[in-house]
Amino acid sequence: DAGVTQSPTHLIKTRGQHVTLRCSPISGHKSVSWYQQVLGQGPQFIFQYYEKEERGRGNFPDRFSARQFPNYSSELNVNALLLGDSALYLCASSLVQGARYEQYFGPGTRLTVT
Amino acid sequence: AQTVTQSQPEMSVQEAETVTLSCTYDTSENNYYLFWYKQPPSRQMILVIRQEAYKQQNATENRFSVNFQKAAKSFSLKISDSQLGDTAMYFCAFMKPAGPLTGTASKLTFGTGTRLQVTL
């Protein structure tokens, strides 16, 4: 079975632009989480979706938004990009939302803002 | 809010030797989960081991084991018989119990990581 997939792998954008990152969870997984990993730091929680509903949001500005589709795939959108948004964006899926269920991570999307 | 601290930015170990990575955390919760994740240069975050706080027995997974000291809020990872493939960033992470019934996110709170280099 395929693992969590993310697209694109790499992305270069200019300040002020908008970006959309995509994530496809493992087949059958209904929960998707997004994390931002700045170079040299641990991942920071951005959003969690379960059954197409937002279940949690981290300490990120409103420029960050996300959604989950009926097939459980997800998009992360970032508006008005800043240099500080440069990071590795990780998507994780789990069968069900909950601490008992392992979160499986994708390979990430490397976003560079110039 | 929970915080996770990894005080060793980098560590090195020779192949076949044993190494211990340190992690401390701060929380007012009594029930929670702790994890060690491995992130090799390929960037894919891989779960190494998990520990439920209500379990007194330390978790083990093959060459990986933890020393969980709940009162001290310490959660160290021991890697035995180190292999070249163990070279990676290792992150300690915390999660509060959560699920559909609680209405809260099951989010991971990560430390800053320890870069482990296994040498010949």
Side-chain angles (χ1 to χ4, degrees), chain B residues 8-114:
Chain B
Q8 305 154 314
E10 294 186 5
M11 293 196 71
S12 181
V13 64
Q14 287 192 321
E15 197 177 24
E17 296 296 307
T18 296
V19 64
T20 299
L21 308 184
S22 301
C23 172
T24 58
Y25 58 94
D26 187 25
T27 184
S28 58
E29 303 283 340
N30 188 47
N31 293 321
Y32 47 87
Y33 294 74
L34 295 166
F35 306 82
W36 278 98
Y37 279 87
K38 168 185 176 181
Q39 188 178 39
S42 66
R43 307 180 323 202
Q44 190 114 20
M45 195 78 74
I46 302 165
L47 178 64
V48 175
I49 199 165
R50 63 183 283 160
Q51 173 82 42
E52 292 89 340
Y54 63 86
K55 290 186 177 179
Q56 293 186 336
Q57 186 173 7
N58 289 324
T60 62
E61 285 288 342
N62 301 313
R63 298 182 295 108
F64 300 87
S65 62
V66 299
N67 183 5
F68 173 48
Q69 301 289 328
K70 190 173 183 179
K73 297 181 181 176
S74 171
F75 183 60
S76 61
L77 174 69
K78 185 172 80 171
I79 306 175
S80 303
D81 186 25
S82 296
Q83 301 175 359
L84 294 177
D86 295 333
T87 293
M89 283 291 290
Y90 286 81
F91 291 96
C92 178
F94 172 99
M95 183 188 286
K96 288 194 303 182
L101 295 180
T102 66
T104 58
S106 48
K107 66 174 186 177
L108 290 160
T109 300
F110 288 88
T112 52
T114 296

Side-chain angles (χ1 to χ4, degrees), chain A residues 31-33 35 45-50 54-58 97-99 103, chain B residues 94-100 102-109:
Chain A
S31 181
V32 170
S33 301
Y35 293 83
F45 173 76
I46 309 176
F47 284 109
Q48 185 173 78
Y49 278 77
Y50 177 61
E54 182 182 306
R55 291 305 180 103
R57 169 189 284 261
Q97 182 206 359
Q103 293 193 15
Chain B
F94 172 99
M95 183 188 286
K96 288 194 303 182
T102 66
T104 58
S106 48
K107 66 174 186 177
L108 290 160
T109 300

Side-chain angles (χ1 to χ4, degrees), chain A residues 50-93:
Chain A
Y50 177 61
E51 288 283 17
K52 301 177 285 295
E53 292 186 0
E54 182 182 306
R55 291 305 180 103
R57 169 189 284 261
N59 188 24
F60 282 81
D62 292 343
R63 299 184 296 107
F64 287 76
S65 64
R67 55 180 176 169
Q68 187 177 32
F69 298 99
N71 66 353
Y72 302 108
S73 67
S74 178
E75 282 183 354
L76 175 69
N77 295 283
V78 187
N79 292 323
L81 284 167
L82 303 174
L83 294 179
D85 295 331
S86 295
L88 180 67
Y89 288 85
L90 296 168
C91 173
S93 78

